[in-house]
Amino acid sequence: GENVEQHPSTLSVQEGDSAVIKCTYSDSASNYFPWYKQELGKRPQLIIDIRSNVGEKKDQRIAVTLNKTAKHFSLHITETQPEDSAVYFCAAQDTGFQKLVFGTGTRLLVSP
Amino acid sequence: GAVVSQHPSRVICKSGTSVKIECRSLDFQATTMFWYRQFPKQSLMLMATSNEGSKATYEQGVEKDKFLINHASLTLSTLTVTSAHPEDSSFYICSAQKYAGQGWTEAFFGQGTRLTVV
């Protein structure tokens, strides 16, 4: 089955800096890669996603890139703000059962 | 977006009792629903896949007789933790898949249920 690895596990940046989180997946048949932001005790919130037919997608300060050949995808946050502090999860979707397999999460801390 | 409602948000129960958690898609019919378990500071671990009108598919290592899943309609799935023990204490989250067109689906999450077994 699918396996998703995520790095780093923790990331501390200064406000205004950029943050990059990377994920790799194992199943070349996976075709949907969402990113979720989860605040303590809350549900995961979809912040951006990318499908296998595109290589990059951007939404204001957030961007995601996908390299299907290398089977990795990355989240880029520019001009970070303290409110960006949370745990971020990447995921890959199984094409058959459509279940999401999550990475282990990255705790992002943005200091003022 | 879409709204998925999960109830209750918190529950405390005595060891040996059963607890039922509901997951509803409020404004769409979900093609599939999923149940996850999340331990503190850890990722979401898929427990089972739930489809309306059929038996749930459980992930390896998840006891189907302990975690009963019923999917009565396209908008409601329930998870019952039977004979709960303290080690079952966790954060349980459901998600519902919504058809997004062109063969794609998107996942929307419930707010989660914090279960504490005492």
Side-chain angles (χ1 to χ4, degrees), chain A residues 26-80:
Chain A
S26 60
D27 188 353
S28 57
S30 292
N31 62 359
Y32 174 60
F33 307 93
W35 284 89
Y36 292 90
K37 176 184 181 181
Q38 187 180 30
E39 297 177 352
L40 189 63
K42 302 280 184 68
R43 77 184 86 193
Q45 297 278 7
L46 178 70
I47 56 171
I48 197 167
D49 56 13
I50 192 166
R51 304 194 185 275
S52 58
N53 55 351
V54 298
E56 185 173 357
K57 184 177 178 180
K58 189 174 181 180
D59 182 5
Q60 299 182 0
R61 297 187 296 112
I62 297 173
V64 57
T65 58
L66 171 64
N67 183 326
K68 286 210 69 178
T69 303
K71 289 189 283 189
H72 67 69
F73 56 112
S74 300
L75 176 71
H76 304 253
I77 305 175
T78 59
E79 300 173 33
T80 54

Side-chain angles (χ1 to χ4, degrees), chain B residues 6-15 17-22 35 79-81 84-86 88-92 112-118:
Chain B
Q6 188 173 338
H7 179 81
S9 57
R10 291 178 179 272
V11 59
I12 301 173
C13 71
K14 291 186 177 180
S15 187
T17 61
S18 295
V19 174
K20 180 184 284 189
I21 302 169
E22 290 188 350
W35 288 95
L79 169 68
T80 301
V81 183
H85 288 95
D88 298 324
S89 299
S90 190
F91 193 53
Y92 293 88
T113 298
R114 169 109 20 231
L115 170 64
T116 303
V117 184
V118 297

Side-chain angles (χ1 to χ4, degrees), chain A residues 93-110:
Chain A
Q93 186 174 57
D94 173 272
T95 54
F97 296 101
Q98 298 183 332
K99 60 183 180 182
L100 287 173
V101 177
F102 284 85
T104 48
T106 296
R107 186 170 301 275
L108 174 65
L109 176 62
V110 181

Side-chain angles (χ1 to χ4, degrees), chain B residues 23-26 28-30 33 52 71-77:
Chain B
C23 180
R24 293 181 184 270
S25 55
L26 297 185
F28 67 99
Q29 292 185 329
M33 289 186 173
E52 184 261 343
H71 198 144
S73 74
L74 287 172
T75 59
L76 173 64
S77 176

Side-chain angles (χ1 to χ4, degrees), chain A residues 78-94:
Chain A
T78 59
E79 300 173 33
T80 54
Q81 301 167 2
E83 49 265 39
D84 294 330
S85 297
V87 179
Y88 292 80
F89 292 99
C90 63
Q93 186 174 57
D94 173 272

